[in-house]
Coordinates of all heavy atoms in Angstrom, one line a residue:
F109 N 12.0 33.3 7.3 CA 13.5 33.5 7.0 C 14.2 32.3 7.6 O 14.2 32.2 8.9 CB 14.0 34.8 7.5 CG 15.4 35.2 7.2 CD1 15.7 35.8 6.0 CD2 16.4 34.9 8.1 CE1 17.0 36.1 5.7 CE2 17.7 35.2 7.8 CZ 18.0 35.9 6.6
F110 N 14.7 31.4 6.9 CA 15.3 30.2 7.5 C 16.7 30.5 8.0 O 17.5 31.1 7.3 CB 15.4 29.0 6.4 CG 14.1 28.4 6.2 CD1 13.6 28.4 4.9 CD2 13.5 27.7 7.2 CE1 12.3 27.8 4.7 CE2 12.2 27.1 7.0 CZ 11.7 27.1 5.8
S111 N 16.9 30.1 9.2 CA 18.2 30.3 9.9 C 18.4 29.2 11.0 O 17.5 28.9 11.7 CB 18.2 31.7 10.5 OG 19.1 31.7 11.6
P112 N 19.6 28.7 11.1 CA 19.8 27.6 12.1 C 19.6 28.2 13.5 O 19.4 27.4 14.4 CB 21.3 27.2 11.9 CG 21.8 27.8 10.6 CD 20.8 28.9 10.3
S113 N 19.6 29.5 13.7 CA 19.4 30.0 15.0 C 18.0 30.6 15.2 O 17.8 31.3 16.2 CB 20.5 31.1 15.3 OG 20.4 32.1 14.3
V134 N 12.1 31.9 2.6 CA 13.3 32.4 2.1 C 14.5 31.4 2.4 O 14.8 31.3 3.6 CB 13.6 33.8 2.7 CG1 14.9 34.4 2.1 CG2 12.4 34.8 2.4
C135 N 15.0 30.8 1.3 CA 16.0 29.8 1.5 C 17.4 30.4 1.3 O 17.7 30.8 0.2 CB 15.8 28.6 0.5 SG 14.2 27.9 0.5
G136 N 18.1 30.4 2.4 CA 19.5 30.9 2.3 C 20.4 29.8 1.7 O 20.1 28.6 1.7
R137 N 21.6 30.2 1.2 CA 22.7 29.3 0.8 C 23.9 30.0 1.3 O 24.0 31.1 1.7 CB 22.7 29.2 -0.8 CG 21.7 28.2 -1.3 CD 22.3 26.8 -1.3 NE 21.3 25.8 -1.4 CZ 21.6 24.5 -1.7 NH1 22.9 24.1 -1.9 NH2 20.7 23.6 -1.7
Y138 N 25.0 29.3 1.1 CA 26.4 29.8 1.5 C 26.3 30.2 3.0 O 25.9 29.4 3.8 CB 26.8 30.9 0.6 CG 26.4 30.7 -0.8 CD1 25.6 31.6 -1.6 CD2 26.9 29.5 -1.5 CE1 25.3 31.3 -2.9 CE2 26.5 29.3 -2.8 CZ 25.7 30.1 -3.5 OH 25.4 29.9 -4.8
E139 N 26.8 31.4 3.3 CA 26.8 31.9 4.7 C 25.4 32.4 5.2 O 25.2 32.9 6.3 CB 27.8 32.9 5.0 CG 29.2 32.3 5.1 CD 29.4 31.3 6.2 OE1 28.9 31.6 7.4 OE2 29.9 30.2 6.0
G140 N 24.4 32.5 4.2 CA 23.1 33.0 4.6 C 22.8 34.2 3.7 O 23.5 34.5 2.8
V141 N 21.7 34.9 4.0 CA 21.2 36.0 3.3 C 21.5 37.3 4.0 O 21.3 37.3 5.2 CB 19.7 35.9 3.0 CG1 19.1 37.0 2.2 CG2 19.3 34.5 2.4
I154 N 13.1 31.0 11.4 CA 12.7 29.7 11.7 C 13.9 28.7 11.5 O 14.6 28.8 10.5 CB 11.5 29.2 10.9 CG1 10.2 30.0 11.2 CG2 11.3 27.7 11.0 CD1 9.5 29.6 12.4
S155 N 14.1 27.8 12.5 CA 15.1 26.8 12.4 C 14.3 25.4 12.4 O 13.3 25.3 13.1 CB 16.0 26.8 13.6 OG 16.7 25.6 13.7
I156 N 14.8 24.5 11.6 CA 14.1 23.1 11.7 C 14.9 22.2 12.7 O 14.4 21.1 12.9 CB 13.9 22.5 10.3 CG1 15.3 22.2 9.7 CG2 13.0 23.3 9.5 CD1 15.1 21.1 8.6
G157 N 16.0 22.6 13.2 CA 16.7 21.8 14.2 C 18.1 22.3 14.5 O 18.6 23.1 13.8
E158 N 18.7 21.6 15.5 CA 20.0 22.1 15.9 C 21.1 21.4 15.1 O 21.8 20.6 15.6 CB 20.2 21.9 17.4 CG 19.2 22.8 18.2 CD 19.4 22.7 19.7 OE1 20.3 21.9 20.1 OE2 18.7 23.3 20.4
Y159 N 21.1 21.8 13.8 CA 22.2 21.3 12.9 C 22.2 22.3 11.8 O 21.3 23.0 11.6 CB 21.9 19.9 12.4 CG 20.5 19.7 12.1 CD1 19.9 20.1 10.9 CD2 19.7 19.0 13.0 CE1 18.6 19.9 10.7 CE2 18.3 18.8 12.8 CZ 17.8 19.3 11.6 OH 16.5 19.1 11.3
V160 N 23.4 22.4 11.1 CA 23.5 23.3 10.0 C 23.5 22.6 8.7 O 24.3 21.7 8.4 CB 24.7 24.2 10.2 CG1 24.8 25.2 9.0 CG2 24.7 24.9 11.5
L161 N 22.5 23.0 7.8 CA 22.4 22.4 6.5 C 23.1 23.3 5.5 O 23.5 24.4 5.8 CB 21.0 22.2 6.1 CG 20.2 21.3 7.0 CD1 18.7 21.6 7.0 CD2 20.4 19.8 6.5
T162 N 23.2 22.8 4.2 CA 23.9 23.6 3.2 C 23.0 24.7 2.7 O 23.4 25.7 2.1 CB 24.2 22.7 2.0 OG1 24.8 21.5 2.5 CG2 25.1 23.3 1.0
G163 N 21.7 24.6 2.8 CA 20.7 25.6 2.3 C 19.4 25.5 3.0 O 19.1 24.5 3.7
G164 N 18.5 26.4 2.7 CA 17.2 26.4 3.2 C 16.2 25.6 2.5 O 15.0 25.6 2.8
E165 N 16.6 24.9 1.4 CA 15.7 24.1 0.6 C 15.0 23.0 1.4 O 13.8 22.8 1.3 CB 16.3 23.6 -0.7 CG 16.5 24.7 -1.7 CD 17.7 25.7 -1.4 OE1 18.5 25.3 -0.5 OE2 17.8 26.7 -2.1
P167 N 14.8 22.7 4.7 CA 13.9 23.3 5.7 C 12.5 23.7 5.0 O 11.5 23.5 5.6 CB 14.6 24.5 6.2 CG 16.1 24.1 6.1 CD 16.2 23.3 4.9
Ligands
SAH305 N1 26.8 30.5 9.0 C1 25.4 30.4 8.8 C2 25.2 29.1 8.1 C3 24.2 29.2 7.1 S1 23.7 27.7 6.4 C4 24.6 30.5 10.1 O1 25.1 30.0 11.1 O2 23.5 31.1 10.1 C5 23.0 28.2 4.9 C6 21.5 28.4 4.9 O3 20.9 27.2 5.1 C7 20.9 29.3 6.0 O4 20.9 30.7 5.5 C8 19.5 28.8 6.1 O5 18.7 29.4 5.2 C9 19.7 27.3 5.8 N2 19.8 26.5 7.0 C10 20.8 25.7 7.4 N3 20.5 25.0 8.5 C11 19.3 25.3 8.9 C12 18.4 24.9 9.9 N4 18.8 24.0 10.9 N5 17.1 25.4 10.0 C13 16.7 26.3 9.0 N6 17.5 26.7 8.0 C14 18.8 26.2 7.9

Side-chain angles (χ1 to χ4, degrees):
F109 185 85
F110 285 118
S111 157
S113 55
V134 181
C135 305
R137 278 270 162 171
Y138 320 121
E139 282 302 309
V141 183
I154 292 283
S155 164
I156 62 157
E158 292 185 1
Y159 38 79
V160 180
L161 296 155
T162 313
E165 285 76 11

